Amino acid sequence: AIFNFAGPLRPGLITPKRPVPSNIVRPDYADHPEGRSKLEEADRSSNPKVYKGEALEKIRKVAALSREILDLACAAVKPGVTTDEIDRIVHEATIERGMYPSCMNYYNFPKSVCTSINEIICHGIPDNRPLAEGDIVNIDVSAYYDGVHGDLNEMVFVGKPSEESLRLVHCTYECLMNAIASIKPRGLYKHIGDVIEARADQDGFSVVKSYTGHGVAEMFHCTPNIPHYANNKCPGIIQVGNVFTIEPM
């Protein structure tokens, strides 16, 4: 079969999955042969969970620890570094903090972090391709600790970016910040996409419709599913204690 590549980027070699010590608490899919989460597959709720008190503190802790790991990964980005090396840094930093790298074995994902370069929208698999001057790379760190997941990412310039890359990344960041600013109790989830697309339109960019933001905490992915485009049909009213990602692409 011939894969229809969207641009010049080609995959490199993928090294074996890195080991996780047995004392690290794992999510339910970690040792499943197909990486399936029975919790997620059994979840039929259309109402996002409301977290309070100690549960919220757990989520804040895993998010803060995950941010430390993301900062280490971003600091390693430079021309010549492979995304497999970034995976090593993320994996070791995650284990050092007593956490499990959430994306590892999630539906058989083979690595501890997602690294998406240039035309790769998301969920890129780290490999032995060296980063090149002018690349942009998204590093998506997720970790499981004390029964909850954290999930966050950042786009990084490799060396000096092109003017078009600067425009794209800065616009996407403003889409994200405008969306966050729009969040309020009793607001509608479907309006988040309106805010994002309105800002993208100002700079002549389109919004990816295939991937969404999502609920996260006790499960890696759950309701709400948050489209990033305008006039979407996402149901639901935002409540204090809902936990979710916004990931404009």
Side-chain angles (χ1 to χ4, degrees), residues 29 46 60 79 111 118 131 133 145 148 155 159 162 168 172 186 191 193 208 214 226 228 240:
Y29 54 82
S46 59
R60 290 190 178 101
K111 289 295 183 177
N118 299 342
L131 294 170
E133 180 79 19
Y145 183 74
V148 292
M155 184 68 79
S162 68
L168 174 62
T172 308
R186 307 300 299 172
H191 286 169
V208 172
H214 56 89
I226 303 172
H228 302 124
V240 174

Side-chain angles (χ1 to χ4, degrees), residues 3-8 10 119:
F3 185 81
N4 185 24
F5 289 98
R10 296 293 182 271
E119 67 266 26

Side-chain angles (χ1 to χ4, degrees), residues 66-198:
S66 298
R67 180 71 239 191
E68 292 177 6
I69 297 165
L70 181 56
D71 287 343
L72 291 171
C74 291
V77 171
K78 62 181 180 180
V81 171
T82 66
T83 49
D84 188 64
E85 171 64 7
I86 294 171
D87 180 77
R88 182 193 66 78
I89 291 167
V90 167
H91 184 85
E92 292 180 0
T94 304
I95 300 306
E96 285 170 6
R97 288 161 176 77
M99 304 197 294
Y100 180 91
S102 295
C103 61
M104 177 175 279
N105 202 49
Y106 185 68
Y107 293 93
N108 289 150
F109 190 86
K111 289 295 183 177
S112 299
V113 65
C114 297
T115 52
S116 304
I117 303 168
N118 299 342
E119 67 266 26
I120 306 303
I121 296 170
C122 61
H123 305 153
I125 300 173
D127 60 26
N128 71 343
R129 174 194 179 274
L131 294 170
E133 180 79 19
D135 282 346
I136 55 176
V137 57
N138 183 271
I139 301 175
D140 191 349
V141 167
S142 48
Y144 182 75
Y145 183 74
D146 201 12
V148 292
H149 297 269
D151 185 2
L152 60 162
N153 72 85
E154 187 163 329
M155 184 68 79
V156 185
F157 298 120
V158 183
K160 185 177 180 180
S162 68
E163 286 298 319
E164 191 67 5
S165 292
L166 276 171
R167 288 183 61 246
L168 174 62
V169 173
H170 288 171
C171 176
T172 308
Y173 177 77
E174 290 186 11
C175 287
L176 172 64
M177 299 311 293
N178 289 1
I180 291 172
S182 76
I183 302 298
K184 59 183 179 182
R186 307 300 299 172
L188 298 179
Y189 278 110
K190 67 181 182 180
H191 286 169
I192 296 172
D194 297 338
V195 172
I196 291 170
E197 187 164 317

Side-chain angles (χ1 to χ4, degrees), residues 27-44 106-107 218-221:
D28 69 330
Y29 54 82
D31 298 311
H32 190 284
E34 297 172 357
R36 293 166 57 185
S37 170
K38 292 185 178 180
L39 276 176
E40 290 185 16
E41 292 180 358
D43 181 35
R44 295 293 180 265
Y106 185 68
Y107 293 93
E218 293 174 343
M219 289 180 278
F220 194 9
H221 296 88

